[in-house]
Amino acid sequence: MTRTQRTGRRRLFRLAGACALAFGLAAGALPAAHGAPAAPEQRAAVQAPGAQAATYTNPVSAGTVDTFPDPTSIRGKDGYWYAYGTQNPVLQSKGEDGERILPILRSADLVHWDYAGEVFTPATQPAWQGGSRLWAPDIRYFDGHYSLYYSVPGRNTVAIATAPTPTGPWTDGGAVLPSPSGCPSGNIDQSQFTDTNGTPYLYWGSYDTICVAQLSPDRTRTQGAVTQIARGRRMEGGFVVHRGAYYYLFYSDAGCCDGAFSGYQVKAGRATSPLGPFTDDQGTDLGALTSKAGFVVGANGNRWIGPGHNAVQTDLAGQDWLVYHGIPSDAPDLAPAAGGSLKLSRRPLLVDRLDWIDGWPVVRAGAGPSDTAQTAPATGWSAGGTFNDATLNGWHAEGAGTGGWTSPVLTDSGGYAAHADSGTAVAHLVSNGTAPANVRAEADLRVTAAGGAAGLTLAYAGPGDRVTAWIDRGRGAIVTEAVVGGTSSGEQVTALPAGFTWNTWHSVTAELRGTVLTVEVSHDRLHDPVAVQTRTLPTGAARGGSVGLSARGAGAAGDNATATALYTPVTARVADPVPGALLPGYSDEFDTTTVPGTTAGSPWSWVRGPAAGVAAGSGSLAWPTQDAELYLGTNTASVLQRPAPSGDFTVETKLVFAPGQSAQQAGLVLYENDDRWFKLVHSVLPLNNGNGALLHVTEFGKEGERPTTTPPTAVANAPMFGGPTADTLWLRLVHHTDTANNEHEVRAVTSRDGVTWSYAGVWTLPVRGPLKIGLVSMNKSGATARFEYLRTYAG
């Protein structure tokens, strides 16, 4: 059985049409390929917006592109979703041996994607970039156009390109960052964010710092002070969303791109300001010189390795989804593109449900990346439509000016609805269908005349029974009103930012859960609203009804007006693994003065030992760090080992360790031999561009063989990091034997108090022989590790 054939969860994590598309590429068509590839496969015509899949299975890019690293996505004003990825050889399986420069995908339902072009070709890439590969795009809509921010590593900067539609044509806007940028790190992996006061920001960094600065009003250049908001080994891929009282910084850390040995994970911190300070879910400042908690998603032992570099997308029911990449264990590597030797990992596009539990984001309530059929995002609707056929079919007019509604066409949005001047009266364009009482409605609205107002209306039963959220140009505000039985419950007014661009599209969403109405106005539905309003409505307003557009005065227009049942949030995490009964025969309290493994009959034994200076007594084992290594061909460090129980078990140690120099490390191992092991240690690493600063991490790694080489060659991991460190640290390795796939699965768990635990991801290795429980203290001399106990538990 291969990983792709698995249908069930494993024990370790079995926890408790018709749009014309005149402004894009022809549906399903691939542009002329680079080099001399075979003719590309043609796919079926792209579904129209409103398509609804019942289920999906990752990767959602399967059959379209081979890889799609560092994805970002947006819902275009035409009603489709678009995704953008890092430059890669995305079409090798279709006979192409070159790379696509910032490839683009398009979808009607977030799970079936078609190739829609690329931002640049070798002929159109701006000359100032010197032919650099282009990475990590971030897409936004503002002021009537799409802005794509992307990394130019060959010039160590971030650039911008703009277009009137999600597929182009793209106009180069040059570098966004000055030189030097003011951030002491690699200037890549950028993300744009707009605060509720309208202030735009750019986040960027990598290698090993994330920074933020304000953008100019046109969002093309950074300006003013640069603030460092996060530090950590390979901390990168920042993406900020605003939810409730907090700003959340998503990021990835550790080893991103080493095939089956990639330790990438997504984590998050939150702050009450877009400038920080951001802290993880254990209160650790993201700028602290330690690894961090706040786990959003990591490898869980199934097919997906190194999940990371995310964006966040919201479906039409209001449910959030993590858009990210992962490396398939059964095909982790890509062949180099023609004419190059660059080794690349295969990183297709994944989507999974993003839950918010106790104020923190986590994928699938903590279950991790999915590799079996899942319930698909809600992309259909109960009532409404996109007007993409440039008619008003399916809608009817009520209220004032019933003959004033028309259906013109724009380049970016396709068909939309507009109303002539209705004076002071209110005109409605109402869907023929209805939606339920707990509902999410949304629309793109604009107002091109000074005194006008455009509204999103929901729970509509007639002009005297409705709920309307207006963007009112005359008052510069969101204005909400509920009318029940012809009587208004009164207006609530929330100011919009002074620089609000009324002539261009803005997304307005309204969620009515019971009697609580929440309205957000944003540029592009990407969790950075420029205004939010929450109010309680009369009981009579909490009902099912139609969705519609409303107009008052001149210049009101709307598009993509839909309503569907509001999602039900997941409020409880899946249960984390809990150790079973203590196994005394596999444990040691180190309560004698005898050094383990030095007397006959001891369950302990030494590999290259006993280590010099090791001492036992007073309930602990003291072990000075060795100037020695356990890494690929350099196997000079001692390992203190003892047999492990068969099957599933958890091993734990309490480690007192305060290393002061780079490379000093100590902790647990599950050891088969010098080239096959799992390791969880408190380790010290240098911080890139950190002026000599040292980073303390809980480093979780493995060494094994790369199966794609003949004969298999030994490989060490690109590391995975656990939670924050401390001078006293509890470490656990949770082992499970996956008998169906003949694999060891090992998960890292860390704690600073023995009570609150951080659960990191999972490493796997094929079973070749038995593992032994072990300890190490190594890499560079000068520190002493004290192990207070070694306890092994069932399960």
Side-chain angles (χ1 to χ4, degrees), residues 178-386:
S179 182
S181 73
C183 189
S185 61
N187 295 309
I188 63 171
D189 287 7
Q190 69 298 315
S191 178
Q192 199 267 310
F193 173 82
T194 302
D195 199 7
T196 48
N197 61 7
T199 302
Y201 295 93
L202 189 77
Y203 296 81
W204 79 98
S206 184
Y207 307 129
D208 298 322
T209 309
I210 297 178
C211 297
V212 59
Q214 284 192 29
L215 283 167
S216 57
D218 65 1
R219 290 163 166 74
T220 63
R221 301 292 184 270
T222 57
Q223 61 183 27
V226 175
T227 302
Q228 297 180 36
I229 56 171
R231 292 188 296 180
R233 189 68 160 181
R234 291 298 296 269
M235 186 178 271
E236 58 190 26
F239 187 93
V240 172
V241 305
H242 190 189
R243 190 176 191 275
Y246 293 103
Y247 300 84
Y248 291 85
L249 172 65
F250 291 76
Y251 66 93
S252 301
D253 68 4
C256 76
C257 318
D258 196 23
F261 288 75
S262 301
Y264 229 29
Q265 299 178 112
V266 177
K267 300 178 181 178
R270 71 185 188 188
T272 55
S273 163
L275 300 175
F278 290 88
T279 58
D280 69 14
D281 58 359
Q282 294 190 13
T284 306
D285 192 305
L286 296 195
L289 292 173
T290 180
S291 48
K292 316 299 191 299
F295 294 90
V296 177
V297 67
N300 61 6
N302 67 7
R303 183 186 184 197
W304 298 112
I305 296 165
H309 201 114
N310 73 281
V312 177
Q313 190 54 255
T314 307
D315 70 14
L316 298 187
Q319 174 66 59
D320 286 333
W321 296 81
L322 200 76
V323 179
Y324 62 117
H325 70 234
I327 298 172
S329 60
D330 49 349
D333 302 314
L334 287 170
S341 59
L342 186 64
K343 174 187 168 185
L344 296 171
S345 296
R346 187 184 307 272
R347 293 176 284 168
L349 175 63
L350 313 182
V351 298
D352 272 310
R353 192 187 74 237
L354 182 67
D355 300 315
W356 297 85
I357 300 175
D358 297 327
W360 290 95
V362 62
V363 164
R364 298 200 308 134
S370 69
D371 67 347
T372 59
Q374 304 292 309
T375 301
T379 53
W381 47 79
S382 303
T386 64

Side-chain angles (χ1 to χ4, degrees), residues 611 623-628 637-638 657 665-667 775-779 783-785 787:
W623 185 348
T625 52
Q626 299 175 287
D627 194 6
S638 298
F657 188 48
Q665 59 177 266
L775 303 173
V776 291
S777 180
M778 62 180 186
N779 221 175
T784 297
F787 298 93

Side-chain angles (χ1 to χ4, degrees), residues 48-50 75 77-79 316 379-395 413 415-417 429-433 442-444 456 546-549 558-564:
R75 191 180 189 216
K77 300 307 178 183
D78 59 356
L316 298 187
T379 53
W381 47 79
S382 303
T386 64
F387 304 100
N388 277 356
D389 61 358
T391 76
L392 300 181
N393 294 337
W395 302 84
S413 61
Y416 67 101
L429 183 66
V430 184
S431 66
N432 292 344
E442 63 177 80
D444 292 313
L456 167 64
S546 298
V547 68
L549 299 170
D559 198 4
N560 300 315
T562 61
T564 194

Side-chain angles (χ1 to χ4, degrees), residues 577-583 586-590 604 642 645 649-655 667-670 680 728-735 747-757 759 773-775 787-795:
V578 177
L582 179 69
L583 302 176
Y586 297 92
S587 304
D588 199 325
E589 296 298 313
F590 302 126
W604 293 97
R642 64 182 295 153
F649 62 88
T650 297
V651 58
E652 175 184 314
T653 192
K654 179 181 178 183
L655 173 67
L668 287 170
V669 292
L670 294 179
L680 176 60
T728 299
L729 190 63
W730 284 257
L731 303 175
R732 283 179 181 169
L733 289 175
V734 183
H735 174 268
R747 187 178 189 182
V749 190
T750 64
S751 176
R752 294 179 293 179
D753 59 10
V755 177
T756 301
W757 297 87
Y759 294 83
I773 296 167
L775 303 173
F787 298 93
E788 299 290 296
Y789 58 76
L790 186 289
R791 295 173 184 166
T792 303
Y793 303 89

Side-chain angles (χ1 to χ4, degrees), residues 720-744:
M720 187 186 301
F721 295 146
T725 61
D727 290 351
T728 299
L729 190 63
W730 284 257
L731 303 175
R732 283 179 181 169
L733 289 175
V734 183
H735 174 268
H736 167 60
T737 301
D738 175 13
T739 55
N741 295 281
N742 196 37
E743 281 188 339
H744 298 292

